[in-house]
Amino acid sequence: MKTALTIAGSDSSGGAGIQADIKTMAANGVYAMSAITALTAQNTTGVSDIMEVTPKFLGEQIDSVFTDIRPGAVKIGMVASAQLISKIAEKLKEYDAKNVVVDPVMVATSGAKLISDDAIETLKTELMPLADLLTPNIPEAEVLADMKIGSEAEMEAAAGIISRKYGCDVLCKGGHKVSDASDLLCTDSQRIWFRGERIDNPNTHGTGCTLSSAIASNLAKGFSMEKSIERAKAYITGALSARLDLGQGSGPMDHTFDIKSAFTEEAAE
Ligand SMILES: Nc1ncnc2c1ncn2[C@@H]1O[C@H](COP(=O)(O)OP(=O)(O)OP(=O)(O)O)[C@@H](O)[C@H]1O
Ligand SMILES: Cc1ncc(CO)c(N)n1
C-alpha cells in the first residue's frame, strides 16, 4: 500500500486540517499518517482557540514516522509559528522527503487567522523552497506574489512569480474568488488550467486541505503532477457535489461520497 504523511493542525469539527487530510488519503487509497502541529478548538462557524505543540514534539512525531514507515508523499497544512516551520524544514531535509505539497494555510474559510506574521516570512524562506508543489488560494497568492489578483491573467502572472521565486510548481486555486472554481498550474515550462464547474454549495469548510491531500495521495501512487491534480480536482468536485449539510456555518464535504460497502450501511430503523 502506498503511504502519505500530513503535517498539519487538528480541526475538532473534522472537516478541515488533519481530519480532512486523513479521510481524503484513505478515500484515495493510500495509508495515512500524521504529525500534528496544533490543536484547534473549531467548528463550522469559527476557531475559538489554538494550542500548538512544541517544535521538539513535532520533530519527534516526524522522526517516528520516517524511521518506520517512510511516506511516499508529504502534505503540509496549518503551521502557525516560525519555530515549527523551521523544525519541519530541518526534518524534510534530514529525511530527503519526496513529493512535498505545501498548502500555505493563512486564513480559515470562517475568516480566522491561522499563522503569525513572522511565520509567513519563515514559510517563504525555509519551507517553500523545499516544496514540489505550492497550493495557494487567491488571497495567499496575493501575499506571496505581492500583487492584487482580479482576473485569470493576473492569476497566471502571480503563479509565475511564485513559481520562479521558490523553484517549484504552483497551483493557484480559483476557488470562489475569480473564475468558476478553475485552478491554474504553473510549472517552469507550462501553464495548465483545470476547469471546474462551480457547485452551488455554501459548505466549503476544508476544501483547500482536501485538495492538497488528494494531490499528495496521487503523487504517492506514482501519478504525474498534472494527472495528480486532475484526479484531485475530480475527487473534490465529487465530495462537494454530495451536498452534505452539517453544522450552522460553512459545513464540511462528504469525503467518503464514493465509498459504499457492507460497513457503510445504516440501520433500517
Ligand atoms: N463552490 C465550488 N465549486 C466547485 N469547486 C470549488 C468550489 N469552491 C472551491 N472549489 C475548489 O476547491 C478547491 C480548493 O479551493 P479553495 O479556493 O476553496 O481553497 P482554499 O481557499 O485554500 O480552501 P480553505 O477554505 O479550505 O482554506 C479548488 O479546486 C477549488 O476550485
Ligand atoms: C486545522 C485547520 N487547518 C486548515 C484550515 C483551513 O481550512 C482550518 N480551518 N483548520
Side-chain angles (χ1 to χ4, degrees):
M1 194 170 190
K2 304 297 182 197
T3 60
L5 167 67
T6 167
I7 305 177
S10 161
D11 168 10
S12 49
S13 66
I18 288 280
Q19 288 81 355
D21 298 341
I22 291 178
K23 292 175 196 181
T24 299
M25 289 170 180
N28 281 270
V30 308
Y31 180 78
M33 298 175 283
S34 63
I36 298 181
T37 59
L39 306 178
T40 70
Q42 177 175 185
N43 62 24
T44 62
T45 67
V47 179
S48 59
D49 208 352
I50 299 178
M51 187 168 105
E52 283 186 36
V53 302
T54 62
K56 179 170 177 287
F57 191 74
L58 178 60
E60 282 167 2
Q61 293 177 73
I62 299 172
D63 286 338
S64 298
V65 170
F66 270 93
T67 56
D68 189 20
I69 305 174
R70 190 181 160 81
V74 182
K75 172 252 154 97
I76 297 156
M78 172 194 167
V79 196
S81 73
Q83 294 89 325
L84 289 172
I85 293 169
S86 297
K87 178 57 76 178
I88 296 169
E90 174 197 321
K91 293 293 171 188
L92 293 181
K93 282 190 266 187
E94 182 179 336
Y95 294 110
D96 190 22
K98 297 286 182 258
N99 295 320
V100 176
V101 178
V102 176
D103 185 14
V105 176
M106 295 181 188
V107 176
T109 311
S110 55
K113 210 162 165 244
L114 297 175
I115 188 169
S116 68
D117 289 337
D118 67 315
I120 294 181
E121 216 33 56
T122 313
L123 191 67
K124 287 180 180 172
T125 54
E126 296 186 25
L127 199 53
M128 292 196 183
L130 303 178
D132 293 293
L133 177 71
L134 284 173
T135 61
N137 61 19
I138 298 222
E140 290 156 355
E142 287 180 331
V143 171
L144 296 174
D146 198 16
M147 64 177 276
K148 278 269 154 221
I149 301 175
S151 64
E152 290 198 351
E154 284 170 355
M155 272 173 85
E156 292 195 9
I161 290 171
I162 301 167
S163 173
R164 281 191 296 279
K165 212 187 245 179
Y166 301 103
C168 63
D169 293 350
V170 174
L171 183 71
C172 184
K173 297 172 290 191
H176 4 204
K177 300 290 188 309
V178 170
S179 52
D180 275 356
S182 292
D183 307 333
L184 167 76
L185 173 66
C186 176
T187 72
D188 55 1
S189 57
Q190 279 182 302
R191 306 248 183 293
I192 303 167
W193 279 95
F194 297 86
R195 298 282 171 191
E197 252 180 52
R198 184 175 167 68
I199 300 153
D200 189 17
N201 183 350
N203 298 310
T204 57
H205 182 82
T207 47
C209 306
T210 299
L211 184 75
S212 55
S213 291
I215 297 169
S217 302
N218 283 303
L219 291 173
K221 289 190 284 186
F223 289 105
S224 68
M225 184 61 78
E226 185 179 344
K227 197 73 194 164
S228 293
I229 295 171
E230 189 186 305
R231 290 171 61 91
K233 186 82 181 132
Y235 173 71
I236 200 160
T237 302
L240 274 168
S241 303
R243 296 187 168 279
L244 189 63
D245 190 12
L246 295 175
Q248 294 161 37
S250 180
M253 289 164 292
D254 183 357
H255 289 98
T256 58
F257 70 97
D258 202 27
I259 300 175
K260 292 280 169 287
S261 79
F263 302 107
T264 57
E265 263 175 35
E266 291 188 10
E269 293 289 312

